[in-house]
Amino acid sequence: MRVVDRSNSTIFGLSSGPNSFTGEDTIEFHVHGGSAIISAMYDSLSSFPDARVAEPGEFTKRAFFAGKLDLTEVEGLADLIHAETEAQRRQALRQANGQLSLFYNGMRARLVKAIASIEAYIDFSEDQDVDDSVLSGTVLEVDKLVEELRTHLDDNRRGERLRNGVRTAIVGAPNVGKSSLINLLSQRNVSIVTSIAGTTRDIVESYYDIGGYPIILADTAGLRTATDDMVESEGIARARTYVECADLLLLVVDASRIRTTRRLDAYIQDYVRTIGIQEEVLSRALIVVNKCDLVDSATVELLKTNANVCIVSCESKAGLPELLDRMRTRLEQLCGNPSTESPTISQERHRYHLKQCLVQLERFRDYFNETSAPDRDLAIVTHHLRNAVRCIGMITGSVETEEILDVIFSTFCIGK
């Protein structure tokens, strides 16, 4: 119910439990956003006995304890609040609406049913009300869960990439235009650009949105195998470390240094060896041939015949739309599409407990495979399944752990 005070246009929103967000009786004041009005509202409310400012995430925490949300939905709501791109918003919204909760609770229900089946066998098999097919059916169900969990975990961390941003290293030899490229993509002066080789010494990061996908662009020191500059050597070492952990590489090549008498792929292979990186990283790389404004049109047309490269000029911005389109396609492959795919793992916490769950299920299966029927201790079997249920409960919050709750809710802003 809403009540409007016509004298100052204040709207009072009244919600009765258990149908409110927190499950409790609540009242919301919708007022003008001026700092003086908000300050006066705080002063007025503080005059009531026991009134205080809410702690960060307190309303959502109350909703959790009232059973209105589980932990995956809480985390989805937090991600929705902090979403900066459209793809992040879609993934967070699906999680906040209970998609992950439905998936994990369904898995948990199947495990509980498996435990109940084994306990029924223990209690009633001697009375011949429950036969051995109950055990074989339970093992078959656990086999299905193991395969489903493996598939769920084998996601190349797409959901986590989407949540945290795709780490993208701009790499190449000195003076090929790496700093110019990050400035062009970021649409601001992130890095210093000079004609002096080795200007960039440290990792310079910039956050950007390409086609709705979050990307962390990193300008790195120009790679070469030898330098007498101690500071540049440290910058090169940091660049190589960043390359190893990056999700995507933009390998920048100077078009004016390419001899058109050679095949481009052969030149690229020599190029990566010259700058001292492994050829294996090319599977994670987009080849960006820069400075196309410094070569003739015939050379540009020849380079365009190679489907594995993007031809650009950071000076004239030629080829930028094509590069962005190629990057968006690669980002979609790395992050997936939250609107069409099955639920994705968005938190390292989820992944850890799912791996522990998988370990318990595999122990259950191995015990049945390695132990003959007369020697089986079914109490041990159910212990593995109960541990698997607890692991899923750690994700959804059905097993309470105060430390986990404190970490999750502390990410919320005050008033939510």
Side-chain angles (χ1 to χ4, degrees):
M1 180 179 68
R2 285 189 172 185
V3 179
V4 180
D5 182 350
R6 298 295 183 184
S7 62
N8 58 14
S9 299
T10 297
I11 300 176
F12 304 88
L14 305 176
S15 300
S16 299
N19 298 319
S20 64
F21 176 76
T22 62
E24 305 167 322
D25 294 338
T26 60
I27 180 171
E28 298 179 6
F29 297 91
H30 302 263
V31 300
H32 295 294
S35 58
I37 295 174
I38 294 173
S39 179
M41 177 65 74
Y42 276 132
D43 289 341
S44 298
L45 293 175
S46 64
S47 65
F48 289 92
D50 300 323
R52 61 173 176 81
V53 175
E55 297 176 357
E58 183 171 351
F59 288 101
T60 306
K61 193 172 186 178
R62 287 171 180 255
F64 168 76
F65 282 120
K68 308 286 287 186
L69 302 170
D70 74 0
L71 281 188
T72 63
E73 293 169 319
V74 166
E75 290 167 321
L77 181 57
D79 289 346
L80 188 60
I81 292 171
H82 297 105
E84 296 181 344
T85 73
E86 175 60 19
Q88 285 178 322
R89 183 195 69 81
R90 292 199 307 269
Q91 175 172 273
L93 185 61
R94 287 161 70 88
Q95 185 170 330
N97 286 341
Q99 186 181 53
L100 268 183
S101 174
L102 186 65
F103 181 77
Y104 294 141
N105 284 332
M107 190 171 291
R108 184 177 184 274
R110 291 162 66 185
L111 285 172
V112 170
K113 184 177 179 180
I115 293 171
S117 297
I118 294 177
E119 291 182 343
Y121 179 84
I122 295 172
D123 292 337
F124 303 112
S125 60
E126 293 183 358
D127 299 329
Q128 298 182 351
D129 292 328
V130 180
D131 57 27
D132 291 342
S133 64
V134 171
L135 290 182
S136 60
T138 300
V139 173
L140 181 61
E141 180 66 11
V142 170
D143 285 341
K144 293 179 181 178
L145 284 168
V146 166
E147 293 308 312
E148 289 175 18
L149 261 180
R150 285 177 175 170
T151 301
H152 189 54
L153 286 166
D154 187 22
D155 62 348
N156 202 22
R157 295 184 179 269
R158 292 194 299 268
E160 290 155 278
R161 280 202 190 100
L162 180 54
R163 180 175 181 265
N164 300 319
V166 179
R167 304 187 72 84
T168 303
I170 302 177
V171 297
N175 269 8
V176 294
K178 300 182 301 298
S179 296
S180 297
L181 182 59
I182 193 173
N183 290 347
L184 178 63
L185 292 173
S186 302
Q187 300 178 349
R188 60 190 179 92
N189 291 327
V190 175
S191 290
I192 297 173
V193 176
T194 72
S195 59
I196 302 173
T199 301
T200 302
R201 303 297 182 91
D202 208 344
I203 306 295
V204 180
E205 291 186 333
S206 176
Y207 295 81
Y208 192 46
D209 177 350
I210 295 181
Y213 293 93
I215 184 171
I216 306 172
L217 291 169
D219 186 17
T220 63
L223 298 178
R224 47 184 168 182
T225 54
T227 177
D228 296 329
D229 191 316
M230 183 181 301
V231 178
E232 186 183 2
S233 294
E234 176 61 24
I236 291 173
R238 294 187 182 189
R240 296 192 194 284
T241 300
Y242 200 98
V243 166
E244 293 301 319
C245 65
D247 303 307
L248 176 63
L249 303 179
L250 298 182
L251 181 62
V252 185
V253 181
D254 186 341
S256 63
R257 302 179 189 177
I258 300 175
R259 297 197 306 272
T260 56
T261 55
R262 294 187 63 195
R263 291 177 53 189
L264 182 59
D265 54 353
Y267 174 84
I268 296 298
Q269 291 174 357
D270 289 344
Y271 180 66
V272 296
R273 285 194 290 267
T274 300
I275 61 179
I277 60 176
Q278 300 297 318
E279 289 187 35
E280 288 78 8
V281 304
L282 291 176
S283 62
R284 292 184 282 130
L286 284 176
I287 311 300
V288 181
V289 178
N290 185 33
K291 303 185 182 181
C292 67
D293 54 310
L294 300 182
V295 297
D296 56 52
S297 58
T299 301
V300 171
E301 292 303 317
L302 183 62
L303 293 174
K304 284 183 178 180
T305 60
N306 193 309
N308 296 321
V309 303
C310 298
I311 314 298
V312 301
S313 168
C314 292
E315 180 69 24
S316 67
K317 300 183 181 180
L320 179 59
E322 291 79 7
L323 173 60
L324 290 174
D325 187 61
R326 291 281 295 277
M327 290 179 67
R328 185 201 60 76
T329 300
R330 186 63 68 90
L331 290 172
E332 185 173 353
Q333 294 170 352
L334 289 170
C335 297
N337 189 338
S339 64
T340 61
E341 294 184 344
S342 60
T344 54
I345 303 170
S346 61
Q347 305 263 355
E348 179 60 34
R349 186 182 74 83
H350 300 176
R351 189 175 297 278
Y352 171 78
H353 291 302
L354 289 172
K355 286 181 177 179
Q356 295 303 308
C357 179
L358 182 60
V359 167
Q360 295 299 324
L361 295 182
E362 288 176 335
R363 285 177 180 172
F364 168 90
R365 193 170 63 175
D366 291 344
Y367 183 82
F368 257 91
N369 291 338
E370 296 170 0
T371 308
S372 60
D375 299 325
R376 286 175 186 156
D377 186 340
L378 295 182
I380 294 177
V381 170
T382 55
H383 177 70
H384 291 319
L385 293 184
R386 289 184 190 279
N387 284 341
V389 169
R390 290 191 186 97
C391 291
I392 295 180
M394 295 292 285
I395 300 174
T396 61
S398 58
V399 178
E400 293 184 12
T401 301
E402 194 63 31
E403 183 180 358
I404 293 176
L405 299 182
D406 289 342
V407 170
I408 291 172
F409 290 109
S410 67
T411 62
F412 282 81
C413 57
I414 292 174
K416 192 62 182 176

